[in-house]
Amino acid sequence: SSGINAEYGISTMIGSTDIPDWCHVEAGTPCDFTTAPSSEALCKLQAKSPIVHAHKITSPVLLLLGAKDLRVPPSQGLSLHRLLRARGVESEVRWYPEDCHPLKSVA
């Protein structure tokens, strides 16, 4: 399987994405940027994250990541890659240093 700009953990992405409101909408948590997310909100964000299903991945994975992606920070895909490798799942990262979210240089 393959992933383009793989979003891995909504709770860890919220502070570095250009669309933090999307994270809150996905998790059903209040979108209030005047305070830090509560412990309850962080738990909900984590529960809605793909990370909770990562243990089910057994087939090889190809991740295509744009280094300049502000929507889904590339650290998300790199974290998934590390987790898969640690679990013995074949995983490859293709890094596009000049691309952002759309990965326009991928042919």
Side-chain angles (χ1 to χ4, degrees):
S1 58
S2 64
I4 298 175
N5 303 315
E7 180 260 307
Y8 175 69
I10 298 173
S11 63
T12 58
M13 187 172 114
I14 198 165
S16 55
T17 181
D18 66 344
I19 53 167
D21 51 326
W22 175 87
C23 298
H24 287 291
V25 169
E26 287 297 307
T29 56
C31 189
D32 177 7
F33 298 113
T34 62
T35 62
S38 67
S39 297
E40 180 183 341
L42 287 172
C43 286
K44 285 182 180 179
L45 288 159
Q46 187 69 2
K48 295 290 184 170
S49 296
I51 187 176
V52 300
H53 301 286
H55 68 280
K56 299 174 188 174
I57 300 172
T58 57
S59 61
V61 175
L62 172 63
L63 297 166
L64 309 176
L65 306 176
K68 295 181 179 180
D69 192 345
L70 299 177
R71 183 117 323 145
V72 179
S75 59
Q76 294 284 305
L78 294 173
S79 293
L80 177 58
H81 173 68
R82 280 191 293 274
L83 179 128
L84 293 173
R85 298 287 300 262
R87 292 188 54 250
V89 177
E90 185 180 339
S91 178
E92 179 184 341
V93 171
R94 296 218 180 136
W95 188 255
Y96 298 91
E98 297 303 318
D99 277 341
C100 55
H101 195 69
L103 296 180
K104 291 182 179 182
S105 70
V106 177

